[in-house]
Amino acid sequence: MCRVVDLKQAVLAKNEAAAQSLRTELTARGTTVVNLLSSPGSGKTALLERELDLARRRGVPVAALTADLATENDALRLGRSGVPVKQVLTDGLCHLEAAMLSRHLDGWLPEDTRLLFVENVGNLVCPASYDLGESLRVVLASVTEGEDKPLKYPTAFGLAQLVMVTKTDIADAVEFDEAAFRANVQQVNPGVEVALTSARTGEGLGTLLERALAVGDGGPAHTPVMAARGHDHHHGPGHTHDHRHDADADADHGHHHHDAAPARPPVVRTR
């Protein structure tokens, strides 16, 4: 008799075990992981740069790991904040996995890090099903992406513990319907917070940092309905997620410059 093995479920189960192990290890040393997911061009790098700079000025020990298919551009931008930053080049892989993240933290992440922000590969499909050992999962969408984004990507938005709208400074120009977007988010993820932000004007600046610190201090995090009942990543059976996607090209808004150039962040290729 032939035995059918669902490779997708096997891969995800292995990742779940690695994620829980990493979460336990980092929590024990006082580090909270924040997983940031979005489409390419959402502006998450610009927002994260400002949040990292804010954390540094407030004396909060933070670090950031950013993943892209190619280029060091995002790490160089985030490095301007003056906090430890590491670039991971996935060589075509469309998402990070928990074991992969663990390897890249080993020997690099400072012991006193209170918050680790992981900027996932720009993609709302594959990364949505991979737990990275995070304590807070944040999904970002810009006002230019359309109010129906949550309905088109229900797994990504349905598993979010915080949803952030970016580039609100141009919301009027693109006729963004905030009420419709909020309604669509609530349809796939009832009760999740939706925060408005602009890296250019500073609207909502500090929201990400404050929510992450609160979770790290033991505060409650939103529990998505989808997480409670389990979820399915919509690829064919047996898919092992060796996809290739276009490189993330986050919008270049809201750069916060510093007088001295930071040290070049470490760059690692991984598969």
Side-chain angles (χ1 to χ4, degrees):
M1 177 181 291
C2 294
R3 180 166 178 250
V4 178
V5 178
D6 188 335
L7 293 182
K8 177 185 70 174
Q9 294 302 324
V11 168
L12 291 178
K14 181 178 179 181
N15 183 78
E16 290 293 326
Q20 186 54 50
S21 176
L22 181 60
R23 182 162 33 245
T24 299
E25 175 188 341
L26 292 179
T27 299
R29 61 185 260 184
T31 300
T32 299
V33 177
V34 181
N35 187 6
L36 304 174
L37 293 81
S38 79
S39 300
S42 68
K44 67 178 177 296
T45 304
L47 180 64
L48 181 55
E49 182 183 351
R50 295 206 61 181
E51 293 281 350
L52 293 176
D53 179 69
L54 178 63
R56 180 189 57 79
R57 288 188 281 111
R58 290 185 179 178
V60 180
V62 299
L65 181 145
T66 181
D68 281 299
L69 279 67
T71 82
E72 305 169 33
N73 295 348
D74 287 354
L76 292 172
R77 289 172 57 184
L78 295 178
R80 293 193 299 236
S81 65
V83 309
V85 174
K86 186 174 188 178
Q87 175 78 60
V88 172
L89 300 181
T90 66
D91 192 28
L93 193 64
C94 65
H95 61 277
L96 286 173
E97 297 177 11
M100 183 189 307
L101 176 61
S102 181
R103 289 197 305 271
H104 291 303
L105 297 183
D106 187 28
W108 168 73
L109 187 67
E111 285 293 332
D112 67 342
T113 302
R114 189 171 175 190
L115 298 175
L116 170 64
F117 292 95
V118 178
E119 184 181 18
N120 219 315
V121 179
N123 171 11
L124 283 176
V125 182
C126 307
S129 288
Y130 284 83
D131 183 355
L132 298 182
E134 71 263 21
S135 295
L136 182 64
R137 176 176 290 209
V138 183
V139 175
L140 302 91
S142 74
V143 298
T144 63
E145 296 179 61
E147 295 81 4
D148 61 348
K149 201 81 171 192
L151 304 182
K152 290 182 176 180
Y153 299 92
T155 300
F157 284 89
L159 291 173
Q161 294 169 294
L162 173 65
V163 174
M164 306 194 81
V165 179
T166 61
K167 305 182 185 180
T168 56
D169 53 290
I170 59 171
D172 290 341
V174 299
E175 299 182 342
F176 176 67
D177 188 336
E178 180 186 338
F181 180 84
R182 287 181 179 274
N184 290 335
V185 170
Q186 295 305 314
Q187 182 174 328
V188 299
N189 193 347
V192 70
E193 179 184 1
V194 177
L196 304 180
T197 70
S198 168
R200 176 174 288 174
T201 67
E203 179 181 8
L205 182 62
T207 300
L208 178 59
L209 178 61
E210 290 164 4
R211 299 297 183 274
L213 287 171
V215 170
D217 287 339
H222 172 69
T223 301
V225 173
M226 185 178 292
R229 68 173 183 239
H231 65 281
D232 182 34
H233 189 32
H234 301 292
H235 282 299
H239 206 296
T240 57
H241 295 85
D242 188 15
H243 311 199
R244 297 181 184 267
H245 290 269
D246 291 334
D248 192 326
D250 275 1
D252 194 29
H253 294 314
H255 286 185
H256 191 76
H257 296 277
H258 296 270
D259 294 334
R264 194 176 189 83
V267 179
V268 181
R269 292 188 180 275
T270 185
R271 280 309 298 271

